[in-house]
Amino acid sequence: MPASYDAPGARLLRLWQTLSPLPGGPWLFSLILGFIVPYTGSIRPWVRVLEPGHARVELRDRRAVRNHLRSVHAVALVNLAEVTSGLAMLVGLPATVRGIVIGLAIEYRKKARGPLVAESIVAVPQVTEPSEYQVQAAIRDREGDVVAEATVRWRLAPA
């Protein structure tokens, strides 16, 4: 079996390209993503855009992701930022490169209420030796205000 079939990003991208044009395809892809990564699935992210170096993921405001202040919980926001940045990075990496998150920092700008959209755009690097790379993700509310910004640190290395 070719190495590209073993790369998680390549598998996710092929699955997205197969399902996303179909009615309900993005929803089905998001459901499968939540099954593959159960903790991420706990927030029920809905992938809307996925291509190498770019991901946009929505999160519905519902009781299961809220805190005692009636806003979306900080950990749900960091989960959303991590999956969004991870999708943007992973689907751009060649099968010959592996990556793992080694750090995550997030700044909360305002209470997150209502539907949220996280977006990450990254220039996927050429990796010839082990290195660290940072990926940004911004989460916006319905008005377009940034409610949180995350920086995810990746360790990338040839496989």
Side-chain angles (χ1 to χ4, degrees):
M1 185 182 308
S4 65
Y5 291 111
D6 296 331
R11 285 193 316 257
L12 287 171
L13 185 58
R14 275 195 313 278
L15 184 61
W16 173 259
Q17 290 169 338
T18 300
L19 294 176
S20 64
L22 304 174
W27 173 82
L28 182 57
F29 174 87
S30 301
L31 193 67
I32 293 168
L33 177 65
F35 181 76
I36 294 169
V37 189
Y39 187 75
T40 294
S42 70
I43 64 166
R44 295 187 193 162
W46 191 333
V47 179
R48 293 303 199 160
V49 173
L50 183 58
E51 57 195 32
H54 184 210
R56 188 168 43 245
V57 182
E58 293 180 5
L59 176 68
R60 271 187 28 242
D61 183 349
R62 56 193 176 83
R63 187 176 190 284
V65 297
R66 283 187 159 229
N67 60 25
H68 65 289
L69 302 172
R70 292 180 289 139
S71 60
V72 177
H73 196 283
V75 175
L77 293 173
V78 78
N79 192 338
L80 177 62
E82 192 273 339
V83 70
T84 304
S85 65
L87 286 169
M89 173 62 82
L90 282 176
V91 302
L93 291 176
T96 57
V97 175
R98 59 189 167 91
I100 188 167
V101 172
I102 59 170
L104 202 153
I106 190 163
E107 293 190 31
Y108 302 100
R109 305 282 184 212
K110 67 180 266 194
K111 286 184 181 175
R113 293 192 169 123
L116 302 172
V117 176
E119 187 163 29
S120 183
I121 299 172
V122 58
V124 179
Q126 296 290 326
V127 179
T128 57
E129 61 185 11
S131 57
E132 288 187 18
Y133 194 76
Q134 292 188 354
V135 180
Q136 311 295 319
I139 303 172
R140 297 179 184 279
D141 62 15
R142 156 182 334 170
E143 290 76 34
D145 295 334
V146 174
V147 298
E149 292 179 299
T151 301
V152 183
R153 253 181 39 245
W154 284 79
R155 176 83 169 157
L156 303 176

